[in-house]
Structures are given as structure tokens and as C-alpha cells.
């Protein structure tokens, strides 16, 4: 079987697994809305809360998706599918789900919080970047942490610290979601920093997280096989 075929098979199997969990998929859509609509529309915090809800939902899908497949990956490896194909299949599926969630959520933000946005298109792009970085974040945590509880706590910590620390601190810049959050500040008119800085940070974070996920998952599959 070719590389593309292996990747498509993994993505299809992961999609079936996720879509069978109707409650999980419902929460996947409702969680960002709950974050966003819990804050009054005229509060600056509302857009940030909604974006972090998107991050949490997408990253959690990656986390639980990869943890739920730990028994399947060794069998895929024995069938000739390398670890990178399994991760790539999940990455493609989860990125598609993340972009789909952003497509549902962005019109709500642009309508409800229009008064807070100086550059609406840039805000939409920031949310796309949030989803793009959150998928590797969930995959990396799932590959590194052995169980769901520990993985969830790590994810809560990363997202929670990203929401609470001042964005101009070194701690904030060390977090993977700082790039999209920085871009949101530019879109809202709170910062005049260059857009390329935020985009570069997001791209670097995604690449590093994928590298960590690949290294850890490849090592784990080799040990089991």
C-alpha cells in the first residue's frame, strides 16, 4: 500500500472513531460557543475566550484521538504503515475539523464583536492559526502523556496559562499559542507589532510540536512492536 493510501486509511478510521462519539462531537462544537457567549459582547475578553475555546476543543480532539489509537498503531506498523503516516492521517483529519470549526465560529465573532475589531479579516486568520497550532499541540501531548487524565491536565495547564499571563512576557512567548494570540491583539488594535512575527511564531510552534509528536509516537510504536 502506498504512503498516500496508508495516510487516507488512517484518516478515515480516525474519522469513523470520532463521528461515532456524538457527545464528543457535540461538545467539540458547543465548547467554543460556551467560552465565547459566557462573556458579554462588549468585553474585550470575549474574543480571547472564544479563541481559547476553539484551541481547547481542537487540541482535545487531537489528544483523545491519539490516545484512543494506541492499540491500533502497532498493528498498523506491522502492516507496513510507518509512524509518520499514522500521525499525518490524524493531522489532516484534525486540521480539517479545526478549520471547519473556525468556519462556523468566525461569522459569530465578526457579527457579535464587530465593534472590538479593527481588522476583522486578520482576526479570522488568527483563529485559523489557533486551530492550526492546536492540532499539533494535542497530538504532542497525546504522544508524550500515557493516560487521558494526565493529558487533560497538561492541556488545561497550557491553555490556562496562555489565557492568564501577560502577552508581552517571556513566559507567554514560550507558549505555543502565543503567535495566534499576538495576532489577535494586532487585529483588535491593541498592538502595532508586525504580523510576520506572530505568523512565524505560530509556524515554528506547529513544526516543533509535530516533531515532538513524531519522535515520541515513533519511539512508542517501536517499543510495542
Amino acid at each position: 500500500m502506498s504512503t498516500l493510501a496508508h495516510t487516507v486509511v488512517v484518516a478515515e478510521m480516525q474519522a469513523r472513531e470520532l463521528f461515532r462519539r456524538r457527545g464528543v462531537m457535540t461538545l467539540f462544537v458547543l465548547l467554543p460557543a460556551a467560552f465565547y457567549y459566557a462573556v458579554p459582547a462588549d468585553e474585550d475578553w470575549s474574543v480571547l475566550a472564544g479563541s481559547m475555546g476553539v484551541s481547547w476543543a481542537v487540541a482535545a480532539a487531537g489528544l483523545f484521538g491519539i490516545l484512543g489509537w494506541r492499540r491500533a498503531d502497532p498493528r498498523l506498523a506491522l502492516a507496513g504503515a510507518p509512524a509518520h503516516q499514522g500521525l499525518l492521517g490524524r493531522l489532516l483529519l484534525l486540521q480539517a475539523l479545526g478549520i471547519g470549526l473556525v468556519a462556523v465560529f468566525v461569522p459569530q465573532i465578526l457579527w457579535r464583536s464587530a465593534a472590538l475589531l479593527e481588522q476583522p479579516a486578520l482576526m479570522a486568520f488568527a483563529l485559523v492559526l489557533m486551530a492550526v497550532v492546536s492540532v499539533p499541540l494535542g497530538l504532542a501531548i497525546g504522544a508524550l502523556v500515557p493516560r487521558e487524565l494526565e493529558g487533560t491536565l497538561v492541556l488545561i495547564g497550557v491553555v490556562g496559562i496562555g489565557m492568564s499571563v501577560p502577552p508581552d512576557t517571556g513566559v507567554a512567548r514560550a507558549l505555543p499559542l502565543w503567535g495566534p494570540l499576538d495576532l489577535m491583539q494586532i487585529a483588535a488594535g491593541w498592538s502595532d507589532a508586525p504580523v510576520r512575527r506572530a505568523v512565524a511564531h505560530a509556524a515554528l510552534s506547529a513544526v516543533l510540536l509535530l516533531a515532538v509528536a513524531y519522535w515520541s509516537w515513533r519511539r512508542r510504536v517501536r517499543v510495542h512492536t
Side-chain angles (χ1 to χ4, degrees):
M1 190 180 293
S2 67
T3 298
L4 178 60
H6 277 302
T7 301
V8 171
V9 167
V10 171
E12 181 182 358
M13 294 172 70
Q14 182 73 82
R16 290 179 180 177
E17 173 69 18
L18 285 175
F19 291 136
R20 277 200 297 265
R21 301 182 178 184
R22 294 184 178 87
V24 173
M25 295 309 298
T26 300
L27 289 173
F28 179 77
V29 176
L30 293 182
L31 187 61
F35 271 72
Y36 178 55
Y37 286 101
V39 182
D42 57 351
E43 293 285 342
D44 294 341
W45 177 252
S46 63
V47 177
L48 175 61
S51 68
M52 298 309 283
V54 169
S55 174
W56 168 260
V58 175
L63 167 65
F64 290 108
I66 200 168
L67 287 176
W69 267 65
R70 285 193 164 173
R71 294 181 179 178
D73 270 349
R75 295 196 294 269
L76 288 172
L78 289 173
H84 75 271
Q85 293 178 9
L87 281 174
L88 181 59
R90 292 179 181 84
L91 177 66
L92 293 176
L93 171 68
L94 293 168
Q95 291 290 11
L97 288 175
I99 299 302
L101 180 62
V102 170
V104 171
F105 198 57
V106 161
Q108 302 175 54
I109 289 182
L110 298 185
W111 167 71
R112 186 170 180 258
S113 301
L116 304 176
L117 307 178
E118 288 192 1
Q119 302 183 62
L122 193 59
M123 179 61 72
F125 180 54
L127 283 168
V128 170
L129 278 186
M130 181 69 76
V132 167
V133 178
S134 296
V135 170
L137 175 62
L139 292 177
I141 294 174
L144 288 170
V145 180
R147 287 177 291 273
E148 287 87 351
L149 177 59
E150 289 88 340
T152 302
L153 291 175
V154 172
L155 181 57
I156 290 173
V158 173
V159 176
I161 293 172
M163 294 178 68
S164 59
V165 298
D168 57 348
T169 62
V171 173
R173 291 187 175 91
L175 296 173
L177 299 177
W178 181 81
L181 293 174
D182 188 44
L183 199 60
M184 288 177 188
Q185 293 196 65
I186 300 172
W190 304 336
S191 172
D192 57 357
V195 171
R196 63 180 179 275
R197 181 184 73 172
V199 175
H201 186 282
L204 179 62
S205 297
V207 170
L208 290 177
L209 288 168
L210 284 176
V212 169
Y214 172 69
W215 170 81
S216 178
W217 200 247
R218 182 180 181 183
R219 178 175 175 271
R220 189 178 298 276
V221 169
R222 281 183 172 180
V223 169
H224 280 81
T225 55

